[in-house]
Each structure stands twice: as C-alpha cells, then as structure tokens.
C-alpha cells in the first residue's frame, strides 16, 4: 500500500524520532498534540500539526476518534502509533485500516493474538515455542487453579491473562499463600483489565529478561535482528537495555532467534515486533509475551546492526520486502541504553514535574541521545516523565559502558530532579560492569542518596552571592574591594541547612547552574542539587511535615483517605494515598497527633504542596 503523508499518533521523543526518518525518506509528516504539548519540539519539527484535545490522555493521545479525525483533517494516508498509547490496540489498528489509512504496525489479528496471555501461550505451545510450564486453561475455579498450582510446584507465578509488562502478577512461594494470591490476583485483574482470567506458571527465579527483535514483511519473510538484554528493571520498568546480551552466545542466539521467528510466523505477523523470553542460568529460555510494536529500546539494536528500524517499518508498510535476509546480518560491537527520567531515585523514585531550565545533551563518539525536550518546556504530570534515552555504542561492552558513563556525566538537566546520578552508579556497579546483572539486580542492592560535598555547598553559596552582588550595591553585602569581609549565606537542601561564608568573587568553576528566585541549581560531579537561599528567611522551626500539615508531595489524585477529623494518629501511620503517574504514594503522619480537619475528598485532584490534613500534636499519645 503506498502512502505519502504519515501521521504520528504519539508525542515526545518517539514522535520526533519517527518523523526524522519519515522526513528523510521523503514522506510528509503530521504531528498531533494535546494542549500540554503545544510548544514541544516534536510539534515544531512536523510539516503539519493538528491539535487533538486537552492534556489528559483520554481526551487526546488515547482517543481513537480524535486521532482519526486529525488524520482526516490533515489528509494523512498512514499512521505510525509509536509505542505506548494506542500502539497495541487492536481496535485502533482496525479503525485505521477501515478508514483507508496504512497502519504502520502489525495486522489487528496479530495484535489480538498476543493480547490474551492464555490464548497466546496455547498458540505458542502449538507452534513449538518453548513456554514456562504452567496452566493456561479454561477452568478458572479456585479449586482447579489450586490443584494446577500444586501440580506445577512452588514457586508459582499467578498472572492476569489480560495483563502485560508485569501488571497483575503475583509470586507465590509458600503453599499457605496460594489461595489468597489467586483470589486477590483475580480481583485485581477484574478491576484493572475487566477480566479476572488467570494463568499459572512455574516461577523462574534469578532469570534474565532477553527479548528478540523480529521483523516480518507482507511476502512471507520473517527474520530476527538479535536480542536485547533488559534485565535491569524496577517495578517492571526497564532501566538499562543492551545488545547483545552478555549471556547469549551465537548458538543460543540462533536458537532463541528461531523460536522468535516461529512465534511471529504463527500469528501472521508483519512489521516490527519483540518476543520476550526469560533466560535461566542454565540457558533454558521460555516465551513470556510478544510486544506487537516498536520498542523504546530499539536504538541498541539499531546501533549494533547499523539499520534504521523505523525505515524498515515504513518500507514493510508500503509493501516492500525486508531490506536484508537473515544471512546478510552482521552484528557490530555492543550498545547500552539508559532511560533518563524526571524522577527522584533517592526519594522513592517519585516522579518530578517542572520547567527544564537548562539542557545539555552529551555529544561524543558512539553516543546517541533521543529526546523530546528543550529549555523552557515543562515536564507535566500528564505523561510518562522520561526525558531522554542515552545510548552508547562501542567495539566492546566495556567501551560502550564507559562511553555511556561519560555521556551521562556530560548530559545535564537543570530543573526537575532526574535519575542521572543513580544511572551512573548502576553502570559503575561491579556486578553490572561484569555483565552479571539479572532481574534480581535492583532488588538486591541499595543505592542510598549520596552526600552533598562541601564543594557543592560552597559553590552554591558563591553563585548566589555573585547573583545578588550583581543586583545590589556591593556594600550592602559587606563586600569591600580592598579588604574582603566574608559574607554569610545560609542555604538549605530539604531539611538540611548550612551557613556558608563567601569571601568575595572567587573564581567560579564553569559548572552548569541555574538561578531560579531564591533557588540555585548546581551540577557538580554528575550530581545536580537544588539549594534554597535562606539568608533572609526566618529561621527554620520544625522539620517539614511535622508542622501539623500534611501536604501533597506532587500533583496527583487522592485515591484513599484513611482518617477523619477527631482521629488520633501515630507517627508513620498512612493518612492519605495519592496517585501520581500511575504510582500510589502512601502519605504518612510525621508525628503523633490528633486530626483537626481533612481538606480533601476521595477522587479529588490536588496540586503539589496543597494542604491535605491538618493535625495538632497529640500530647496524650506520648
Ligand atoms: C515471570 C518471572 C518468573 N517466572 N514469569 C515480569 C514482566 C513480565 N513480562 C513477566 N515478568 C516475569 N515473569 C515466570 N514464570 C519473572 C518475571 C519478572 C521479571 C521479568 C523480566 C524482568 C524483570 C522481572 C522482574 C520481576 C519479575
């Protein structure tokens, strides 16, 4: 099917990345955007743009009707769904086809075939693809599932048939927990996916997550482009991805590749897809699920194959044959990718929002950065807070790893807190450096918040001093040109305060910094810290949170209220559950207290720092 104008039904880095290739191949590009994304770079880059609605995804990027309307309005004749959003939505793929638009993805029937784990697994077993031993049958009664679980033998994984990516999954290690796990998994699956159907699997412990990139055309050709190792994950969110896997040799690659190709053939696949496997320490591998889309981590495969996977997708959708045969493939070197997020890895991985004040992506040999941001743009609470993907390619794994560490050191974001320092520590961890990290890696090691160095504090004070010296007559700050008197500057980071002495306009190292009112954000030794000038603020009284006011730590929605006015609460007790970006945060009492009032209702949307509960210290509780 030939087409000339491609609408990208997505946002951010992936929309930009898809359009770069589409433009280079001579296609016209159409961006869609929600109100929050009006000024985003992917919108500026497109040949044409269509507003699809307000910021919430349900009224914009997840609305099939609005995307189809945008395609109609712009005269687009093809749709690329990117990843996430509608990329694995059978109804969307079918609606595109019905509207005469080329869907740059698999046929709707292939999306459907992998949408239900039980049906997908039965099909994979028939196709000879190795699957984890388990139960994926129709009898969903408690008694039958218990019997099947005992037959499989503990530990067992209970998974929602309609789930994916680890959602609705439970590990059962003790027989006493089995009944409860089945019941709660079913209830959870019903409310999350609208179906309580479950499958059971033998739990493969300390395995690696190894996935095979496959490609199929409309002429019966199906090939694989090698594997990616995505074992380093946190709560089923990938953190580091690499190709090739340190645990896969040429023979294992050939066998896993053949299984992945068989999986794709069995469902009449077309386009780019990924077949996920668990790889045990004994080299046994088992099909987990198939992702019927291009994936976030595709750049590591591009790096080692030298191919542009989006170009392949466009060619396949246009009816062309795959550009290469399996035999023509050669893998070159090693590539590692990390996902740079606006999240505080040292404070419970809380998602961060806010304006990007400074952005300096690394350059350098073998480095690629895919992103969708620019200075002045705001990371909003409406979407995934990924800022960029940083990818390094090298001749060897060690070269790729050290290049990636260096690239992260050079990549600076000032504004929202990011996970960049945490990523560097992961990459430098001896276990990861040795290629030995499995899915257990992040659960096994602790990465506590690093100390802020004296140099950091001193530099922040000097920068603030310099800033105010520019604004006010120097004498006001006690500065004499001939005889510098130290100027006191009181700074705070969170609840920690320090009094610094600045002795004149010392030479300030050329480090990235940004001054934002009373705050200065300083990047030193790959650690970005926001300091607040408290020199003229009234002295701090109590620690934050212990002033009797429970405040929202971020924008979010109240999903549970566990207290009412008049209740006595104890320090550490959960008062409110706040949901932000799909994650639930338990907000706890900072002191023993009596609740005076609750200012919010369940279901209410609240903004960062809003007061949720007011308490009075409870003397009787001591
Ligand atoms: C498993 C498993 C162990 N045994 N299935 C998590 C994501 C989803 N795709 C499947 N997942 C798992 N399924 C059996 N039978 C362990 C995981 C798993 C995991 C897999 C890959 C990467 C990280 C993981 C972390 C926890 C659990």
């Amino acid at each position: 099917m030939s087409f000339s104008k491609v609408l990208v039904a997505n946002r951010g880095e992936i929309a930009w990345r898809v359009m770069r290739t589409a433009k280079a191949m001579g296609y016209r590009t159409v961006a869609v955007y929600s109100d929050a994304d009006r000024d985003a770079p992917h919108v500026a880059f497109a040949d044409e743009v269509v507003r699809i609605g307000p910021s919430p995804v349900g009224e914009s990027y997840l609305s099939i009707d609005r995307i189809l309307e945008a395609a109609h309005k712009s005269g687009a004749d093809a749709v690329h769904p990117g990843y996430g959003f509608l990329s694995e939505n059978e109804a969307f793929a079918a609606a595109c086809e019905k509207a005469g638009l080329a869907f740059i993805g698999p046929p709707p029937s292939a999306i459907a075939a992998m949408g239900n784990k039980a049906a997908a697994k039965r099909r994979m077993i028939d196709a000879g693809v190795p699957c984890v031993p388990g139960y994926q049958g129709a009898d969903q009664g408690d008694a039958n599932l218990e019997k099947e679980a005992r037959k499989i033998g503990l530990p067992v994984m209970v998974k929602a048939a309609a789930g994916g990516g680890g959602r609705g999954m439970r590990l059962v290690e003790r027989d006493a927990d089995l009944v409860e796990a089945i019941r709660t998994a079913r209830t959870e699956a019903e409310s999350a996916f609208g179906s309580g159907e479950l499958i059971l699997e033998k739990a493969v412990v300390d395995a690696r997550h190894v996935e095979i990139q496959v490609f199929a055309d409309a002429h019966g050709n199906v090939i694989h482009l090698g594997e990616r190792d995505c074992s380093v994950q946190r709560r089923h969110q990938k953190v580091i991805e690499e190709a090739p896997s340190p645990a896969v040799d040429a023979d294992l690659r050939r066998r896993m590749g053949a299984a992945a190709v068989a999986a794709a053939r069995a469902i009449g696949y077309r386009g780019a897809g990924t077949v996920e496997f668990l790889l045990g320490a004994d080299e046994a591998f088992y099909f987990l699920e198939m992702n019927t889309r291009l994936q976030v981590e595709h750049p590591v495969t591009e790096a080692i194959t030298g191919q542009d996977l989006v170009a392949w997708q466009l060619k396949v959708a246009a009816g062309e044959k795959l550009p290469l045969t399996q035999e023509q493939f050669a893998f070159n070197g090693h590539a590692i990718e990390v996902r740079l997020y606006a999240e505080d890895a040292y404070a419970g991985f809380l998602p961060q929002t806010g304006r990007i004040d400074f952005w300096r992506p690394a350059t350098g040999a073998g480095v690629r950065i895919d992103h969708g941001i620019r200075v002045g743009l705001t990371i909003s609470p409406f979407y995934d807070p990924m800022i960029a993907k940083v990818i390094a390619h090298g001749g060897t794994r060690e070269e790729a790893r050290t290049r990636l560490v260096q690239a992260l050191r050079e990549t600076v974001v000032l504004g929202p807190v990011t996970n960049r320092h945490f990523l560097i520590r992961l990459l430098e961890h001896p276990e990861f450096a040795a290629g030995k990290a499995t899915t257990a890696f992040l659960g096994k090691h602790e990465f506590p918040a690093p100390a802020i160095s004296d140099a950091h504090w001193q530099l922040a004070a000097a920068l603030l001093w310099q800033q105010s010296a520019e604004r006010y007559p120097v004498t006001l700050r006690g500065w004499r040109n001939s005889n510098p008197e130290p100027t006191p500057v009181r700074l705070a980071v969170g609840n920690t305060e320090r009094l610094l002495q600045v002795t004149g306009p010392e030479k300030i190292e050329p480090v990235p910094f940004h001054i934002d009112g009373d705050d200065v954000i300083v990047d030193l030794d790959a650690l970005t810290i926001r300091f607040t000038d408290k020199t003229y603020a009234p002295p701090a009284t109590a620690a934050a949170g212990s002033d009797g006011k429970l405040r929202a730590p971020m924008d979010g929605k109240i999903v549970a209220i566990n207290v009412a006015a008049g209740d006595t609460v104890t320090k550490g007790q959960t008062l409110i559950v706040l949901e932000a970006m799909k994650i639930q945060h338990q907000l706890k009492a900072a002191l023993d207290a009596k609740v005076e009032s609750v200012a919010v209702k369940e279901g209410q949307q609240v903004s960062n720092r809003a007061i949720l509960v007011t308490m009075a210290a409870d003397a009787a509780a001591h």
Side-chain angles (χ1 to χ4, degrees), residues 360-601:
R360 186 187 72 190
T363 53
V367 175
R368 165 177 171 181
I369 300 193
D370 280 17
H371 68 89
I373 62 159
R374 60 172 181 77
V375 169
L377 205 74
T378 294
I379 305 293
S380 81
F382 297 104
Y383 315 114
D384 184 90
M386 189 168 82
I387 290 178
K389 305 187 299 205
V390 184
I391 307 111
H393 182 215
T396 61
R397 185 173 189 272
E398 190 52 18
E399 186 174 46
R401 193 184 67 84
T402 50
R403 281 180 170 177
L404 186 52
V405 168
Q406 186 54 31
L408 279 170
R409 291 184 153 277
E410 289 171 15
T411 300
V412 179
V413 180
L414 302 184
V417 172
T418 77
N419 64 344
R420 166 216 191 198
H421 186 269
F422 171 71
L423 292 173
I424 293 173
R425 280 166 83 183
L426 299 185
L427 294 169
E428 290 185 331
H429 193 285
E431 195 171 316
F432 180 81
K436 295 199 170 359
T438 69
T439 50
F441 177 71
L442 284 184
K444 202 159 62 174
H445 302 289
E446 289 198 19
F447 297 91
I452 301 168
S453 68
D454 291 346
H456 237 122
W457 286 97
Q458 200 60 48
L459 189 59
L463 286 164
L464 279 168
W465 183 89
Q466 188 185 53
Q467 154 90 1
S468 60
E470 279 165 14
R471 272 198 281 160
Y472 305 109
V474 286
T475 48
L476 270 184
R477 299 295 300 244
W479 162 249
R480 302 283 183 286
N481 233 347
S482 49
N483 177 26
E485 276 176 36
T487 308
V489 176
R490 191 152 53 91
L491 293 182
V493 177
N495 296 330
T496 309
E497 281 196 17
R498 274 177 69 170
L499 188 65
L500 288 304
Q501 300 292 339
V502 180
T503 52
E506 55 201 288
K507 187 173 154 285
I508 289 172
E509 298 171 65
V511 301
F513 73 92
H514 177 78
I515 291 177
D516 174 11
D518 285 342
D519 288 1
V520 61
I521 314 169
V522 183
D523 185 77
L524 190 64
D525 295 328
L527 183 63
T528 309
I529 302 289
R530 180 186 285 263
F531 297 85
T532 301
D533 187 355
K534 297 274 186 177
T535 311
Y536 303 110
T541 47
S546 60
D547 61 355
K549 303 237 186 325
L550 179 74
R551 291 178 175 80
M554 68 199 79
D555 294 353
K557 189 171 113 181
I558 305 294
V559 294
I561 299 174
N562 299 345
V563 288
D567 287 1
T568 303
V569 298
T570 53
K571 185 175 170 178
Q573 180 180 340
T574 299
L575 306 182
I576 298 264
V577 182
L578 178 82
E579 188 176 285
M581 293 182 231
K582 294 184 264 175
I583 295 167
Q584 298 204 342
H585 304 282
Q586 318 245 330
L587 309 183
K588 299 184 160 120
L591 72 175
D592 293 339
K594 188 167 167 140
V595 176
E596 289 184 336
S597 60
V598 177
V600 290
K601 290 201 202 58

Side-chain angles (χ1 to χ4, degrees), residues 77 92 116 151 252 256 356 421 460 474 537 539 544:
D77 47 9
F92 180 57
N116 177 290
K151 210 157 86 187
L252 183 55
M256 292 183 81
I356 306 277
H421 186 269
V474 286

Side-chain angles (χ1 to χ4, degrees), residues 117 121 132-133 156-157 159 164-167 169 171 200-210 230-236 238 276-278 288-289 438-440:
K117 277 185 183 316
K121 232 180 128 175
V132 194
V156 157
M157 281 285 185
K159 299 182 176 180
R167 292 182 309 157
M169 205 174 80
L171 171 66
L200 305 170
E201 285 180 352
K202 181 88 189 168
V204 185
V205 294
D206 212 20
R208 281 174 183 266
H209 170 123
V210 176
C230 314
S231 296
V232 181
Q233 306 194 2
R234 191 187 157 273
R235 296 204 184 166
H236 308 300
K238 292 168 185 165
E276 286 186 12
F277 294 98
L278 279 177
L288 270 184
E289 53 193 71
T438 69
T439 50

